[in-house]
Structure formats: structure tokens, C-alpha cells
């Protein structure tokens, strides 16, 4: 059995759709039929998303954080509730329990996430922090300092 990813292309409010091939404005792009793909790397989709709805796994959470995309998280178990709580504390996400995950609640949370300028500023700010290479150097230095400066195999 094949698994397909369906991509429904809709322009963001106030945006002008642009052809990815030629870079020219694309009238009628808001009426394209959904396309099906077997696989699409999330890192390629996220920069084009107004928001993402997901389960709260660390890969999706960190990818959305790095891309500066607001997140609606429905944590199910394991590390997901903690990831959701941390993303909410950063101001880049909202979460709903599986029991509360209903169409009206999802729509309300997505409208809040995408329409709130504070959320969008927080997303951009944390994306810049996430992709700043000096942050990685500082984290590695802190880890080495905490373990006495030497890592043994």
C-alpha cells in the first residue's frame, strides 16, 4: 500500500502566488488541484507554511522552530507534551489535547497563531537564534566546561 502526501496549494492572505519554476506571478494558482507526492522533505515545505499542525515530536517541533513557523501541537505521549509546553513557553505554539482537538478549536487556534503579530515576531526571533552558528559554539563550550573540558570515549 502506498502512502501519499496531498498538498493543497492556497496563497496566503494578501500574497501574490509566484511560479516556482519561472518566478513570474501566477494568476489562478489559488485554484490549482491538489497534488500528490510520495515524499516531501519537511524542511522544503516549512518556509512556505503559514502554520503547521503536528503531534509534537522533537524533529517536527525543532524544524518548525528553525523555519519560524507557528505551531499547533496535539501531543500524544512520550516527549511530545514536554515539547509542546516548551514551544508554548517560547510563544511559538499552542497545543490542544486529543480530546479537545475538534475542527472549531483547531480553526480558532490556527487563527490566533497566524493572526497574532507577537507570535510571528517570537517565531522569527527564535528561528534566528536556532540557526545562529555561534549559539552552537556557545552550547558546546558550556557542555565542555560542565564536564571539565575533556570528553572521553
Amino acid at each position: 500500500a502506498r502512502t501519499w502526501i496531498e498538498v493543497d496549494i492556497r496563497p496566503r492572505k494578501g500574497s501574490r502566488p509566484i511560479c516556482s519554476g519561472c518566478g513570474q506571478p501566477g494568476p489562478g494558482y489559488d485554484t490549482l488541484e491538489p497534488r500528490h507526492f510520495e515524499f516531501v522533505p519537511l524542511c522544503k515545505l516549512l518556509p512556505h507554511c503559514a502554520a503547521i499542525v503536528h503531534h509534537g515530536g522533537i524533529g517536527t517541533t525543532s524544524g518548525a522552530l528553525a523555519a519560524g513557523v507557528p505551531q499547533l501541537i496535539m501531543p500524544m505521549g512520550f516527549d511530545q507534551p514536554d515539547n509542546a509546553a516548551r514551544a508554548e513557553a517560547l510563544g511559538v505554539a499552542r497545543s490542544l489535547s486529543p480530546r479537545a482537538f475538534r475542527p472549531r478549536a483547531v480553526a480558532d487556534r490556527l487563527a490566533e497563531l497566524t493572526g497574532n503579530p507577537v507570535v510571528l515576531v517570537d517565531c522569527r526571533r527564535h528561528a534566528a537564534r536556532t540557526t545562529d552558528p555561534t549559539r552552537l559554539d556557545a552550547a558546546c563550550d558550556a557542555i565542555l566546561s560542565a564536564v571539565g573540558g575533556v570528553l572521553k570515549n
Side-chain angles (χ1 to χ4, degrees):
R2 287 200 125 136
T3 302
W4 296 96
I5 298 169
E6 184 172 305
V7 177
D8 189 5
I9 302 167
R10 296 176 190 225
R12 293 181 186 178
K13 186 176 181 181
S15 69
R16 293 182 42 216
I18 302 294
C19 173
S20 62
C22 66
Q24 298 299 311
Y29 274 26
D30 58 340
T31 59
L32 288 176
E33 292 296 315
R35 296 179 58 192
H36 297 92
F37 301 89
E38 287 189 46
F39 175 77
V40 179
L42 187 58
C43 64
K44 299 292 186 187
L45 289 177
L46 283 171
H48 306 285
C49 294
I52 182 169
V53 179
H54 64 96
H55 65 288
I58 193 61
T60 305
T61 303
S62 61
L65 187 64
V69 176
Q71 305 175 53
L72 177 57
I73 303 172
M74 183 186 71
M76 302 290 289
F78 305 106
D79 64 335
Q80 298 165 3
D82 184 60
N83 296 338
R86 291 174 186 273
E88 283 191 90
L90 292 175
V92 300
R94 301 294 182 267
S95 67
L96 286 170
S97 69
R99 182 172 282 158
F101 201 85
R102 299 287 180 259
R104 174 60 21 215
V106 170
D108 289 346
R109 293 300 190 296
L110 285 173
E112 176 193 348
L113 284 165
T114 59
N116 185 334
V118 174
V119 171
L120 302 177
V121 166
D122 283 343
C123 285
R124 283 192 293 274
R125 181 167 51 93
H126 288 295
R129 290 179 66 196
T130 303
T131 56
D132 179 355
T134 62
R135 297 265 178 189
L136 178 59
D137 291 342
C140 290
D141 290 344
I143 291 167
L144 286 173
S145 176
V147 297
V150 179
L151 293 178
K152 296 180 181 179
N153 290 340

